[in-house]
Amino acid sequence: MWSPYKNRLRRDLERWQSNGWVSGEGRAAILADVESSGREVGLAPALGILASVLFGFAAISFVAAHWEDMPRLGRLLLLLATIWAGYGAAGWLGARGHPLFADAAILFSAGMFGASIMLISQMYNISGNPSDGVLMWWVGTLFAGAMLRSNPALALAMVLVCVWSFFETSEKNGVHWAFLIGWALVTAAFIWQRWRPGLHLSALALAMFVISLGYQLSGGHQHGLVAVIGGLAAAAAVAMEKLQPDLDAKLDHIAAPLFSYALAVAFAGLFARQFLVVPPLGDLIALAVVALALILAAIAYALSTGNRGALWIGYIAFSAEILALYSVTVGSILGTSLFFLVAAIIVSLLAYVALRLARRSAGAGRPA
């Protein structure tokens, strides 16, 4: 639970209490619930995480510098001792009420585990693909993160799953469908931990995988499929939010981020379909109209539901679409000034229609 959120909540509660909307007992109960709902990430734990990374690099550098001077058994014992020293420090810190520092120690051990895989492969001249070593690394990191309930270790496991998939894709020059297995395992651990930042990381990784399908399937000509997948996911999120009052209130925490990521995937597919493989002029205009209509509809929906993430994605998508259209069509369809004038008129008319609809809805809601 981040301090800026709690500080803002305290200010809001003071105002609500002064207005008589919240009682003193209610204010205290809300703050107590917020304090107990998560661990605060302060400067010291954040520096502890960074220190664990630096300790890992220091240990790797020390071992590499003396690698040739040590016998093989000594090398193995040193690597194992370094890994277990990190886990021992994590247990000691956790027992003394420093869970975030314990996470830093676990992260150090996970990093040393990956370094050990590489050094042992070099020591025994084990041939193989780099992706095989990353596979062992993320499996071990996932096991440690799940057993020790360490969110940073699980986050590292998701990053390693993405690196593993990248290596496999580069080596085989095709879609690495096994990524979905690793992604699902780490995501299941995030759900078990109930760690929302981890779920956002999972959603980002899956979104990037879906977007990459457009560049890999059918020789890189399946961006339309990516747009369809994103559109269907966005529609599912909208349906989920519409059904949310009749279902579990926790669905709201799923639907809003799902809509944001789905919107990003859909626009990425539409953008690539328009401008990376430039279609004929008529198809380009049709696709541009569809893209702008969907983007404006997404912005309107984000405003109506208070989805800030989707709103920013919509703004960025609209700007990227306009600039890309300008770069492709200027000089052939419209002059520079005329192009932006027409775009401004269209958006202004849509804004006027939206304002009239909002006023009409407000008037209909007033008592006679």
Side-chain angles (χ1 to χ4, degrees):
M1 189 65 64
W2 295 90
S3 294
Y5 167 75
K6 293 196 292 185
N7 293 334
R8 185 174 68 252
L9 181 61
R10 290 191 183 98
R11 293 193 298 269
D12 290 340
L13 286 173
E14 289 176 1
R15 187 179 72 256
W16 298 339
Q17 185 178 2
S18 63
N19 292 334
W21 302 337
V22 177
S23 64
E25 293 79 5
R27 176 176 177 270
I30 292 172
L31 289 175
D33 180 72
V34 171
E35 291 289 346
S36 63
S37 62
R39 298 177 296 187
E40 181 176 343
V41 181
L43 178 61
L47 292 176
I49 295 290
L50 296 177
S52 70
V53 176
L54 294 175
F55 276 125
F57 279 109
I60 294 171
S61 300
F62 175 81
V63 172
H66 298 81
W67 193 247
E68 299 298 333
D69 300 332
M70 292 184 291
R72 288 187 175 183
L73 180 59
R75 300 174 190 176
L76 291 174
L77 293 177
L78 178 61
L79 293 174
L80 291 174
T82 305
I83 294 172
W84 286 107
Y87 287 130
W92 183 83
L93 289 166
R96 280 154 181 77
H98 301 291
L100 290 174
F101 286 113
D103 284 336
I106 295 171
L107 197 62
F108 165 79
S109 293
M112 287 304 303
F113 175 67
S116 299
I117 293 174
M118 301 173 193
L119 291 172
I120 291 174
S121 299
Q122 178 187 8
M123 181 171 59
Y124 289 99
N125 296 321
I126 299 175
S127 61
N129 297 322
S131 59
D132 297 333
V134 181
L135 170 62
M136 295 179 59
W137 190 1
W138 77 253
V139 169
T141 302
L142 172 61
F143 181 77
M147 292 296 295
L148 301 176
R149 309 297 294 268
S150 173
N151 292 330
L154 293 177
L156 175 60
M158 179 59 77
V159 172
L160 292 174
V161 167
C162 295
V163 174
W164 168 60
S165 182
F166 174 77
F167 281 151
E168 288 284 350
T169 301
S170 301
E171 292 167 3
K172 299 178 181 178
N173 196 23
V175 179
H176 183 226
W177 296 107
F179 163 83
L180 295 174
I181 299 175
W183 176 88
L185 291 174
V186 181
T187 302
F190 285 143
I191 295 173
W192 182 50
Q193 282 283 84
R194 298 181 179 178
W195 192 43
R196 291 185 64 187
L199 294 177
H200 280 284
L201 181 60
S202 293
L204 179 61
L206 183 61
M208 296 303 296
F209 175 78
V210 174
I211 292 172
S212 71
L213 295 178
Y215 298 90
Q216 299 178 61
L217 295 175
S218 301
H221 298 285
Q222 286 296 330
H223 302 293
L225 175 63
V226 172
V228 170
I229 293 174
L232 292 175
V238 172
M240 190 180 297
E241 285 195 328
K242 295 298 183 182
L243 295 173
Q244 187 265 332
D246 301 325
L247 300 175
D248 193 340
K250 292 182 179 179
L251 286 178
D252 187 50
H253 298 301
I254 301 174
L258 174 60
F259 181 79
S260 300
Y261 289 108
L263 175 61
V265 171
F267 176 70
L270 279 173
F271 189 88
R273 180 67 181 82
Q274 294 174 85
F275 304 113
L276 295 187
V277 182
V278 180
L281 183 57
D283 294 344
L284 176 62
I285 294 175
L287 288 170
V289 170
V290 172
L292 287 173
L294 291 177
I295 291 170
L296 292 173
I299 291 175
Y301 181 76
L303 286 170
S304 65
T305 56
N307 191 335
R308 292 187 178 182
L311 184 62
W312 278 107
I313 292 174
Y315 286 153
I316 295 171
F318 181 82
S319 302
E321 182 74 17
I322 291 296
L323 290 174
L325 281 173
Y326 164 71
S327 65
V328 171
T329 60
V330 66
S332 58
I333 299 178
L334 300 171
T336 306
S337 300
L338 183 59
F339 176 83
F340 284 111
L341 177 61
V342 171
I345 291 174
I346 293 174
V347 176
S348 298
L349 289 174
L350 291 172
Y352 175 74
V353 173
L355 180 61
R356 292 296 299 270
L357 291 175
R359 288 178 174 175
R360 184 178 300 177
S361 300
R366 293 174 183 170

